[in-house]
Amino acid sequence: MRVLLATDGSKDARTATVYLRDFPLPEGSRILLLSVVDAPASPLDVPPVREFRAALRAEGRRALEEARRLLGPRGATAEDRVAEGGARAEILRAADEWEADLIVLGARGLGGVRGVLLGSVSSAVAHHARCPVLVVKGRPRPLGGVLIALDGSEHAWAGVRFVLALPLDRGTKVRLLSVVERVHYPSSAPRLLRAQLRGLLADMEKERRAELDRGLARAAAELRGRVTRVTRGTPTGTPAGEIVAAARELDADLVVVGARGRGGIERLLLGSVSERVLRDARCPVLIVKGLREP
């Protein structure tokens, strides 16, 4: 697995680095440490301008060296690169050029605003990257509990496949969750038909739950060959809210969601549910996408 870690030396970037240090990666994985410095363009080629740009590059280099140290043994063999430009564009460019399988970055920093759970750069990268993106927030801990959200879509199943490719500890707790969205009948429906409509909608929910349960059973069967503690649930409610609540209840160290669900618009790389989970979850969130797009 080829993992790109974006860092600027900020607190959240250091958190992401420590999280990656202990994150289970397949044997033979490679890491690229990327620091981006935004040096303002200037037509003047004079010593003060050159010195300013050199100082920015040196700051980026220091962030890389700190990340290498925090990564421990993994840092010793990591590649590194200082890029110049806007953080969002350069992270996405490097991920494509290096053919990254995973981008890891902190929730804030890289231009983020203090006090906001999700910064503009991490949000933009999650929206536009063509590979999975791991946004790290909260206190870094070894991967003891994983919540995987499934809705039957290809992107959600890509999340299961991603987790299956990791060398998980056998004792890792995995919670599989599918949310049944409640269907409401229109308030304008004739009174005489309301009982009939309620029964019809209840049958639709029942069928949807049965469909989701089959998917969870399939995922659980595959995961039980890798870990010993797999549970599943199909609550009724709002998908993003139920996923965030379940992650809190599990005290999850990672939430895995597909980039787009069944309601996703194909031209968008991040759907509304995954976007809300990424914004509201207090633990690291892995946004997984299907096959790499051309």
Side-chain angles (χ1 to χ4, degrees):
M1 183 180 292
R2 299 168 68 87
V3 182
L4 185 157
L5 172 67
T7 180
D8 62 352
S10 64
K11 179 181 178 181
D12 278 32
R14 293 195 298 272
T15 296
T17 304
V18 173
Y19 187 79
L20 180 59
R21 180 192 65 195
D22 299 321
F23 191 81
L25 294 176
E27 187 175 354
S29 292
R30 297 171 58 186
I31 297 176
L32 171 64
L33 305 176
L34 176 69
S35 181
V36 182
V37 296
D38 193 357
S42 173
L44 300 176
D45 184 18
V46 293
V49 173
R50 290 196 297 269
E51 290 171 7
F52 178 64
R53 296 175 71 92
L56 288 176
R57 287 193 294 270
E59 185 177 327
R61 177 60 56 186
R62 284 193 294 272
L64 293 179
E65 292 305 317
E66 180 187 41
R68 187 182 298 279
R69 177 181 60 79
L70 290 174
L71 279 174
R74 284 181 172 172
T77 57
E79 304 173 43
D80 62 46
R81 183 184 305 177
V82 176
E84 292 189 23
R88 307 175 218 187
E90 292 305 321
I91 292 170
L92 294 170
R93 188 198 318 278
D96 281 344
E97 291 178 354
W98 195 64
E99 296 184 344
D101 300 305
L102 175 66
I103 299 172
V104 180
L105 71 169
R108 294 169 299 184
L110 299 163
V113 179
R114 192 176 294 274
V116 178
L117 286 180
L118 188 67
S120 59
V121 172
S122 52
S123 177
V125 171
H127 271 82
H128 299 293
R130 295 191 287 179
C131 66
V133 177
L134 173 56
V135 178
V136 180
K137 43 173 123 166
R139 183 167 56 89
R141 303 184 301 185
L143 197 61
V146 181
L147 174 69
I148 306 176
L150 289 166
D151 63 359
S153 68
E154 175 59 26
H155 283 270
W157 269 102
V160 176
R161 291 194 295 270
F162 191 99
V163 173
L164 283 169
L166 302 176
L168 296 176
D169 183 273
R170 290 280 294 171
T172 303
K173 296 183 294 183
V174 177
R175 175 72 169 169
L176 300 172
L177 188 78
S178 291
V179 181
V180 181
E181 295 186 70
R182 193 179 303 280
V183 183
H184 299 279
Y185 65 86
S187 59
S188 59
R191 185 180 300 275
L192 292 176
L193 296 179
R194 289 183 183 179
Q196 183 179 351
L197 282 173
R198 279 197 294 268
L200 178 61
L201 295 179
D203 288 342
M204 290 173 60
E205 286 187 18
K206 183 177 179 180
E207 291 176 9
R208 177 60 173 155
R209 176 170 277 105
E211 177 188 6
L212 292 171
D213 281 336
R214 287 192 292 271
L216 292 183
R218 174 184 159 200
E222 295 189 28
L223 285 161
R224 284 196 180 104
R226 304 292 306 281
V227 296
T228 58
R229 306 165 72 181
V230 180
T231 59
R232 44 194 166 123
T234 51
T236 300
T238 304
E242 293 295 330
I243 292 168
V244 171
R248 189 177 299 115
E249 180 182 352
L250 178 66
D251 193 21
D253 304 306
L254 178 67
V255 175
V256 181
V257 293
R260 288 192 301 254
R262 290 189 161 193
I265 301 172
E266 286 305 305
R267 68 181 179 84
L268 297 177
L269 291 183
L270 195 64
S272 59
V273 173
S274 48
E275 183 171 24
R276 283 191 57 197
V277 172
L278 183 58
R279 183 192 68 202
D280 296 341
R282 300 266 172 179
C283 66
V285 177
L286 174 64
I287 304 290
V288 183
K289 303 168 184 189
L291 296 175
R292 175 181 283 271
E293 301 182 11

